[in-house]
Amino acid sequence: LFTILNRGLGKLWLGAGHIFCFAQAAALLETVHALAGISRSGPAAAFAQWFGKSNVLLGILYFVPEVQNDLVTAVLFLAWSSGEVVRFYYYLLSIVLGPGNIPAKLTWLRYNLFIPLYPLGMLAELGVMRKALPYLEHSGLHAFTFAMPGTADATLTTNYHTFIKHLSMVYPLVWFP
């Protein structure tokens, strides 16, 4: 929000993109903590959330400058950061004050803010994917070739554009339980 208000939407990635990339890379520790039993969350859910965000942030936004400063990216960053600020402040106070001493309004925010932010973030992620499709197709970014096992020269070639195109068709279904 600071970047948009002080520098404008055209400087969104310059002001916040690399910070989000660093934070997302560090967020893999949530999966490690779940595996080690340090946190109460399940490792599969933690990894799925990390992978979904990383796909959009590190797989698309980092490599496609045409969508880095788009309004949908600003909405995405706002949804992601709003939820994380409340969640980590809640965690901090539960450590410092103890679980029973957290202000009621913060507890309410912690458990209710996701109601608007979850679908907003999911729709913004979907918007980034859809807006990036023409650029992904044109650039051939992240093309993969796999050798087929048991054959001499048979290969399977696919690209990230195809993956994102098909993922965006079912994306809302992936996130609803």
Side-chain angles (χ1 to χ4, degrees):
L1 190 59
F2 175 82
T3 298
I4 294 170
L5 293 176
N6 290 309
R7 298 181 183 172
L9 189 59
K11 301 284 186 182
L12 176 64
W13 186 259
L14 180 65
H18 296 291
I19 295 167
F20 271 87
C21 288
F22 175 78
Q24 186 57 28
L28 185 58
L29 289 173
E30 289 189 53
T31 302
V32 173
H33 293 164
L35 283 168
I38 297 171
S39 69
R40 289 182 279 154
S41 59
F47 181 76
Q49 186 176 35
W50 177 84
F51 184 79
K53 283 184 175 182
S54 295
N55 174 53
V56 172
L57 184 64
L58 305 173
I60 297 174
L61 284 171
Y62 187 81
F63 291 103
V64 184
E66 292 84 355
V67 293
Q68 289 176 349
N69 297 314
D70 196 280
L71 180 61
V72 72
T73 304
V75 171
L76 176 69
F77 283 1
L78 182 66
W80 281 355
S81 60
S82 298
E84 297 298 326
V85 165
V86 171
R87 184 168 73 105
F88 286 117
Y89 187 54
Y90 177 87
Y91 289 157
L92 175 70
L93 288 185
S94 70
I95 292 168
V96 173
L97 302 176
N101 299 317
I102 299 168
K105 289 181 182 179
L106 181 60
T107 302
W108 184 88
L109 274 176
R110 164 71 178 100
Y111 292 105
N112 291 290
L113 194 59
F114 80 93
I115 295 169
L117 291 180
Y118 190 80
L120 181 65
M122 185 217 33
L123 290 172
E125 289 171 11
L126 183 59
V128 167
M129 286 188 256
R130 299 298 294 178
K131 283 189 175 245
L133 278 175
Y135 306 107
L136 292 172
E137 183 177 30
H138 176 72
S139 70
L141 185 67
H142 308 313
F144 302 100
T145 301
F146 302 98
M148 300 298 285
T151 60
D153 292 327
T155 60
L156 172 65
T157 302
T158 188
N159 58 47
Y160 197 57
H161 168 264
T162 303
F163 170 71
I164 294 300
K165 184 170 107 177
H166 289 94
L167 178 63
S168 68
M169 290 180 203
V170 297
Y171 201 68
L173 302 174
V174 172
W175 294 113
F176 290 118

